[in-house]
Amino acid sequence: MRYTDVGDTDCSIAQALSVVGDWWTLLLVRDLAGGTHQFDALHESLGISRKVLTARLRALVDDGVVEKRLYLAHPPRYAYHLTERGWGLLPVLVALQDWGGRHLLGDGTLTATADADSAEARRVHALVGTRVPELALPAASAGPRPPLADPVGATPWTVLYCFPGAYAPGTQGYPPGWDDIPGTVGCTLESCTYRDRLDAFTARGATVHGVSTQRPDQQAAFAEHQRIPFPLLSDAGLRLAGALRLPTFRAGGAERLKRLTLVVDADRTVRGVLYPVPDPGGSVAEALALLDALTSAQR
């Protein structure tokens, strides 16, 4: 459904709002990014009428934001997936989430962490049981075309630790005032502690992946300087953050992931969460303990 009363036809904001100008449409994009693709599942998730959902999906398909994929021939049934144009809306959703979390659910303070009893912490812990969508994130690389990697490994467990940012000395690094933002300090310590304890994770059948919104070349310089042996993945496009609604904050003109850890099983399902993470170095031992507890629970 395009809106015709949005004003200036030469204004890109007005034209964008003509496509995604109502809240149901943005929530629909949110759920599609999160891995909900079939009509009935979308209807149940959003709680809107089937007529309204049909109209919104048809409009998004017409505008090239969503595409239909046949998954059952008789009778014909379609799944709905974001196109590249649709994935381009993820930074918009992340910015809205960041603004809402800071100014509506929070007190307006810029922070890279949260209180343990906050709405944000409850939302992150509610990821347990959620499936991580199949994504291809750029891996740390100094080249112009970084290789793409799945955030979930091929091992029984994957530990995804998200961090605000870590930089090699002598590179364009931390923005002004970085150390004054609660929760930012400790990224190098956290990554190096995972490096030093990597054998313990491997012995437990776990792959370790670090994720930040830095550019792949920045991650590659840091990994080389600190001899990080496991993959660092770039979520600069905010696809993982948007799909899982991971908490972010804005610093240095860019969205940054808040520090958190997800333990994901071989079926891509989140089984454990660490958030908030007040002790970056100590969180590595907490992740190992969480792995042990989850493994014992499966026996």
Side-chain angles (χ1 to χ4, degrees):
M1 176 184 299
R2 276 188 171 268
Y3 298 87
T4 58
D5 57 347
V6 293
D8 189 354
T9 56
D10 292 329
C11 174
S12 58
I13 295 176
Q15 293 308 303
L17 289 174
S18 74
V19 177
V20 293
D22 76 292
W23 66 322
W24 287 122
T25 299
L26 287 174
L27 291 176
L28 180 55
V29 172
R30 179 202 67 184
D31 284 6
L32 290 170
T36 304
H37 299 296
Q38 295 184 11
F39 185 94
D40 287 342
L42 290 166
H43 175 253
E44 181 179 356
S45 173
L46 293 170
I48 59 176
S49 72
R50 300 178 75 87
K51 180 179 179 181
V52 170
L53 178 57
T54 299
R56 295 299 187 275
L57 286 170
R58 182 183 298 118
L60 289 174
V61 170
D62 291 343
D63 286 317
V65 175
V66 172
E67 64 180 1
K68 296 166 62 175
R69 299 179 188 174
L70 185 70
Y71 71 88
L72 182 66
H74 302 291
R77 293 289 185 268
Y78 294 91
Y80 297 87
H81 293 261
L82 294 178
T83 62
E84 283 300 310
R85 180 180 290 188
W87 281 108
L89 284 168
L90 267 292
V92 177
L93 293 182
V94 170
L96 282 172
Q97 176 182 269
D98 182 18
W99 182 84
R102 179 177 176 182
H103 296 287
L104 302 181
L105 299 181
D107 60 5
T109 301
L110 176 62
T111 179
T113 185
D115 293 331
D117 60 350
S118 65
E120 182 174 275
R122 291 194 297 272
R123 187 184 78 241
V124 175
H125 282 271
L127 286 172
V128 173
T130 300
R131 192 172 186 274
V132 177
E134 295 183 13
L135 300 171
L137 300 182
S141 171
R145 295 184 178 180
L148 301 178
D150 191 332
V152 178
T155 51
W157 298 102
T158 300
V159 175
L160 279 176
Y161 75 96
C162 301
F163 60 98
Y167 299 85
T171 63
Q172 182 180 4
Y174 304 103
W178 181 262
D179 290 353
D180 297 327
I181 303 173
T184 56
V185 175
C187 297
T188 297
L189 173 63
E190 184 179 29
S191 292
C192 290
T193 307
Y194 271 108
R195 175 199 65 196
D196 296 342
R197 302 294 304 276
L198 184 59
D199 287 347
F201 287 94
T202 303
R204 289 165 170 80
T207 297
V208 174
H209 288 163
V211 184
S212 74
T213 59
Q214 297 168 259
R215 300 192 313 267
D217 62 300
Q218 294 173 322
Q219 293 177 328
F222 171 74
E224 180 180 8
H225 179 74
Q226 297 293 350
R227 305 186 312 280
I228 304 299
F230 50 81
L232 298 180
L233 306 180
S234 172
D235 194 29
L238 301 175
R239 293 196 174 193
L240 183 66
L244 295 180
R245 297 161 59 197
L246 301 178
T248 61
F249 68 103
R250 190 166 184 82
E255 293 290 344
R256 316 272 181 162
L257 288 167
K258 294 187 178 182
R259 192 184 317 281
L260 63 92
T261 304
L262 304 177
V263 178
V264 184
D265 68 13
D267 293 326
R268 311 185 68 86
T269 302
V270 177
R271 296 301 181 189
V273 172
L274 297 177
Y275 187 73
V277 180
D279 180 3
S283 70
V284 178
E286 293 179 31
L288 284 169
L290 181 56
L291 268 174
D292 289 339
L294 290 169
T295 301
S296 295
Q298 288 185 339
R299 293 172 181 165

